[in-house]
Amino acid sequence: MSALTRIPAPDGVFPGAQYTHVVLGTGRFVAISGQLALDEDGRPVGEGDPATQARQVFENLRRCLAAAGATFDDVVKLTYFVTDMAHLPAVREARATHIPDDRLPASSAVQVAALVRPEFLMEIEAFAVVGE
């Protein structure tokens, strides 16, 4: 595991409720492409159901991180692309099963007009730093 430092609220910056403003560390940088709600056979999971899609996306992120020798403890940044901001509570719930509140990464949430296919409600990418 990398040695990460989390700064939830730098001086003069209002604290975020669901993320950390700054995360820094040393080690190997790992970039995980945006993950969609696809199962291991490439089939969409949870059409129309943000909670089911979020769980699948986080499972895909977990598997991608593992392939790089990383875990969610190593994640420094998550970017959420959602077709509706109303899906964020489902995303946060899925995230909570993998990342405790005291280890939240830096995050950005962006509402998009569409993703690569209309059945997808979200896409999430991750950046991690893995100890040397």
Side-chain angles (χ1 to χ4, degrees), residues 35-82:
Q35 295 298 302
L36 298 164
L38 290 169
D39 69 12
E40 59 272 8
D41 296 318
R43 292 183 303 249
V45 173
E47 191 167 345
D49 181 353
T52 299
Q53 286 201 12
R55 286 190 298 272
Q56 182 66 49
V57 168
F58 272 92
E59 178 58 19
N60 292 348
L61 287 169
R62 184 194 66 74
R63 290 175 179 173
C64 290
L65 288 164
T71 70
F72 279 104
D73 284 341
D74 302 307
V75 171
V76 296
K77 176 80 162 63
L78 290 170
T79 304
Y80 311 106
F81 302 96
V82 294

Side-chain angles (χ1 to χ4, degrees), residues 6 17-20 22-23 75-76 95 99-107:
R6 289 173 173 79
Q18 296 291 327
Y19 60 92
T20 299
V22 179
V23 182
V75 171
V76 296
R95 181 191 65 197
I99 305 172
D101 284 348
D102 66 338
R103 300 193 59 77
L104 292 174
S107 298

Side-chain angles (χ1 to χ4, degrees), residues 84-95:
D84 188 331
M85 286 295 182
H87 301 325
L88 286 179
V91 170
R92 289 185 189 118
E93 186 175 320
R95 181 191 65 197

Side-chain angles (χ1 to χ4, degrees), residues 105-123:
S107 298
S108 298
V110 181
Q111 184 169 328
V112 295
L115 292 167
V116 67
R117 290 185 0 209
E119 63 265 37
F120 297 121
L121 304 175
M122 64 195 64
E123 181 173 334

